[in-house]
């Protein structure tokens, strides 16, 4: 992004200092706007290693391109990130080559971007929570929880453009939905899966590629685990971070049974049984370490799928970027990638609108044009991304207590078989292409997943079945 002063300098308030909010603030600061960022929590690196916000992200080409375009940050420069080109499927330990991805702890990525904001002139205030917005006067009120005292002091901040990047539980979105006539939350679906984060001090698979991501799944508990190496400050052997996912309520059952059994866990619905089935190729001592961390930790919900009527209110100068505008479950690994793509599109739109407008343009009119153009370009794709995440593998039928439906499994197997038989003429399933890092529009992937692939599989069955039927009837 250019550092040349823009024709119209906007007074911009960004709410939320996660990767999307930090990247938005950094990019807009680099463009020359006056930017203040308010983050509800302390600096990300103060987050405990097993806290819910310490979970890992996997940035594929979509997310990496978005981050690079918006901020200039390249994959190799991301502190705490691993340049990974392989995935290990467990328990077979089969190594699968894949497109470049950068697994990185969320807190490390957010910190990496936030620490660059000051050089771009961005003011970052931690432990400041949004408590209200006066949409008519364009003023946001935040409470300073970093100050001592029972009642946190409040400050009112004026803005030309307010950017809500405060996640799937966005307070900005909640206030918009309750107040503005031109904005509505159309639908919200909370995930029925929960996760916990654990870390190991050493890599448990030294013979496997050190840059690989690792994946496990278990049908009996409908559970999954994803892990990847951590990079320490002083060497490359920083251990492993695990994201462990079970249906909602299971962690509480495990914890209750663990406390009652006093460690003798041989029956079903215990940490020992669940981890033995999910992670059978880990040593018993390693599973014990994971069990103790799970017992001491706190589970968090996987997220919320959000469909909004728009991505902002042009009339009131408020826009939603990232999960605030299109929250989604982590089932396809698209949350951070989609969010950073939205950041790039939004920041590019800001630059285009400001550059194309007159030098004396009033900031509210510039903000209106930015929001209108961004909404027109991104809303359909945002809805498609959420639709895929929610319904792509069977909606709630494949989350919670149940595994993926048979129809989905048959569709995936049918498309993979046809892909091999036609030597690539029939593409791989759209969801697999998304999950392995291939960049395709979410609208195109939605059409393939919900319609084209079903038509292709049915057509193949008919084409194979008609000759058999003709032979039988002759």
């Amino acid at each position: 992004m250019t550092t040349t002063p823009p024709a119209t300098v906007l007074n911009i308030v960004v709410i939320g200092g996660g990767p999307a909010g930090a990247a938005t603030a950094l990019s807009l600061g680099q463009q020359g706007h006056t930017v203040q960022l308010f983050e509800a929590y302390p600096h990300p690196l103060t987050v405990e290693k097993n806290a819910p916000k310490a979970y890992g992200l996997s940035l594929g080409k979509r997310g990496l391109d978005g981050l690079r375009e918006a901020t200039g940050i390249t994959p190799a420069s991301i502190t705490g990130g691993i340049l990974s080109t392989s995935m290990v499927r467990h328990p077979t330990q089969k190594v699968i080559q894949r497109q470049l991805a950068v697994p990185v702890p969320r807190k490390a990525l957010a910190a990496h971007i936030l620490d660059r904001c000051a050089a771009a002139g961005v003011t970052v205030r931690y432990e400041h929570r949004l408590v209200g917005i006066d949409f008519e006067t364009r003023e946001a009120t935040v409470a300073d929880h970093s100050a001592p005292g029972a009642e946190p002091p409040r400050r009112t901040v004026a803005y030309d453009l307010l950017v809500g990047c405060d996640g799937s539980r966005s307070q900005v979105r909640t206030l918009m939905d309750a107040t503005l006539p031109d904005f509505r939350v159309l639908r919200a679906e909370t995930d029925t899966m929960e996760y916990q984060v654990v870390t190991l001090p050493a890599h448990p698979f030294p013979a496997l590629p050190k840059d690989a991501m690792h994946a496990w799944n278990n049908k009996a508990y409908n559970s999954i685990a994803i892990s990847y190496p951590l990079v320490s400050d002083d060497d490359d052997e920083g251990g492993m971070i695990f994201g462990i996912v079970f249906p909602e309520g299971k962690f509480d059952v495990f914890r209750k049974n663990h406390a009652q059994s006093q460690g003798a866990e041989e029956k079903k619905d215990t940490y020992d049984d669940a981890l033995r089935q999910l992670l059978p190729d880990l040593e018993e001592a390693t599973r014990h370490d994971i069990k103790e961390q799970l017992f001491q930790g706190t589970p968090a919900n996987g997220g919320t799928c959000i469909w909004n009527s728009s991505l902002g209110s042009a009339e009131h100068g408020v826009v939603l970027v990232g999960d605030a505008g299109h929250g989604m479950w982590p089932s396809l690994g698209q949350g951070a990638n989609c969010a950073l793509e939205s950041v790039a599109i939004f920041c590019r739109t800001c630059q285009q609108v400001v550059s194309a407008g007159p030098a004396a343009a009033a900031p509210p009119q510039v903000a209106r044009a930015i929001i209108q153009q961004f909404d027109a370009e991104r809303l359909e794709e945002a809805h498609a991304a959420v639709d895929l995440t929610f319904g792509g593998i069977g909606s709630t039928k494949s989350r919670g207590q149940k595994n993926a439906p048979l129809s989905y499994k048959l569709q995936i197997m049918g498309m993979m078989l046809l892909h091999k038989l036609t030597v690539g003429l029939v593409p791989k399933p759209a969801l697999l292409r998304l999950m392995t890092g291939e960049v395709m529009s979410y609208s195109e992937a939605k059409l393939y997943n919900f319609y084209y692939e079903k038509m292709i599989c049915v057509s193949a069955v008919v084409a194979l079945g008609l000759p058999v039927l003709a032979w039988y009837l002759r």
Side-chain angles (χ1 to χ4, degrees), residues 52-77:
K53 284 186 175 294
Y55 64 85
L57 305 173
S58 178
L59 300 184
K61 188 175 187 304
R62 185 189 301 272
L64 294 172
D65 286 349
L67 183 63
R68 184 190 293 109
E69 178 185 342
T71 66
I73 294 174
T74 60
S77 70

Side-chain angles (χ1 to χ4, degrees), residues 407-421 426-427 429 453 456-458 460-461:
S407 59
Y408 166 72
K409 296 176 182 177
L410 291 175
Q411 179 176 321
I412 293 295
M413 289 189 295
M415 288 297 294
M416 287 301 296
L417 179 61
L418 291 171
H419 175 73
K420 293 180 179 179
L421 290 176
V426 173
E453 290 174 7
I456 291 170
C457 290
V458 170
V461 170

Side-chain angles (χ1 to χ4, degrees), residues 113-167:
I113 305 171
L114 285 167
D115 291 346
R116 284 156 175 74
C117 283
V122 177
T123 300
V124 179
R125 301 187 187 279
Y126 297 103
E127 298 183 79
H128 280 66
R129 297 177 182 269
L130 178 70
V131 294
I133 303 174
D134 188 324
F135 294 102
E136 298 303 322
T137 62
R138 301 199 179 198
E139 293 178 321
T141 301
V142 294
D144 181 3
H145 288 264
S146 67
E151 186 64 28
R154 298 186 175 190
R155 69 170 68 193
T156 299
V157 187
Y159 63 85
D160 300 315
L161 177 62
L162 188 146
V163 187
C165 296
D166 48 341

